[in-house]
Amino acid sequence: MMHRFFLPLSVSVAAALVMTGCGEQGTTPMQGPSGDLSATSIPVLSATGKGILDYATLKGAPPGAPGVENFAFTAFKDADGAVKGELQYRVETTNGLEVTIQAGRVNCVNDMGGGLVVISAQGTQRVAMNPPGSFPGLPAAVLPNDDGIVFAVQDNGEGATDQATAHIHTRVAVARAICGNPSAYGFSPAVVRAAFLNNLVSGKVEVELRP
């Protein structure tokens, strides 16, 4: 029996879905979240991006029907530690029968070195056929108010294919703790790069770190 969760879709997410071609061909990255999300001062760490992931070969994702994930995000950290940002993603199976739409507010961004950044967020909107799957060893997210999301992106520089992990769902506090100290939860940079990163089918990630 399927469990269905339907929450009101925000205007910004709805607009992003109109602008993306994911529902038609699955090859056009979602537009980034709208609005000026940067902190008041110039951020010491910024990570932005959008792209497509292929679920048929996705590492670190719960098993399911093959399809595509179309994502966009912004994440900024100020010198005083203040963090702002948004994420949106849409997963659509190849048969077009199962669609998940997710939005979240970024609460942590952490530089892991070499263009690798881990990000966590609190889910703010979710429209899905099923609740999010749980990652082994982590508590499951509790919809609608305790939906934590954590993921990582890799900026491989100009001319190279960038990478991203699947979005892991757990409790908000756990997702934020993983972002703050990934290695303590077994997600060292070496492990993330070897076991969780996936090449983007299309799209680009940009990471900028200021001293």
Side-chain angles (χ1 to χ4, degrees):
M1 178 179 179
M2 278 190 170
H3 298 279
R4 298 175 184 268
F5 293 84
F6 295 97
L7 298 176
L9 192 61
S10 69
V11 173
S12 62
V13 177
L17 295 177
V18 170
M19 289 186 285
T20 178
C22 178
E24 297 176 359
Q25 299 180 2
T27 56
T28 303
M30 179 179 289
Q31 299 297 314
S34 60
D36 181 8
L37 299 174
S38 62
T40 303
S41 61
I42 296 175
V44 295
L45 174 60
S46 67
T48 61
K50 57 185 177 180
I52 298 286
L53 290 171
D54 182 359
Y55 259 52
T57 57
L58 196 66
K59 296 183 290 185
V68 294
E69 177 181 308
N70 193 332
F71 71 90
F73 72 94
T74 61
F76 305 96
K77 180 191 285 185
D78 272 2
D80 62 2
V83 173
K84 289 188 177 182
E86 290 183 14
L87 73 86
Q88 303 168 353
Y89 71 84
R90 173 186 175 108
V91 178
E92 184 171 351
T93 61
T94 52
N95 58 19
L97 297 179
E98 297 182 23
V99 176
T100 296
I101 302 167
Q102 178 79 52
R105 183 174 58 253
V106 171
N107 54 29
C108 173
V109 55
N110 188 4
D111 173 49
M112 298 177 73
L116 180 64
V117 168
V118 60
I119 298 165
S120 72
Q122 179 170 357
T124 55
Q125 300 285 338
R126 184 175 176 86
V127 178
M129 296 297 291
N130 291 298
S134 58
F135 188 84
L138 298 179
V142 179
L143 298 180
N145 297 322
D146 199 1
D147 181 13
I149 307 161
V150 61
F151 65 104
V153 294
Q154 173 74 54
D155 180 353
N156 287 317
E158 294 298 323
T161 300
D162 292 332
Q163 298 169 297
T165 69
H167 292 81
I168 296 174
H169 288 258
T170 182
R171 302 290 181 86
V172 172
V174 175
R176 191 166 186 170
I178 292 172
C179 175
N181 191 358
S183 295
Y185 289 82
F187 299 109
S188 67
V191 169
V192 171
R193 289 190 171 104
F196 293 98
L197 284 177
N198 307 271
N199 289 343
L200 300 184
V201 175
S202 62
K204 182 64 180 171
V205 169
E206 295 187 0
V207 173
E208 186 172 359
L209 182 65
R210 295 185 178 90

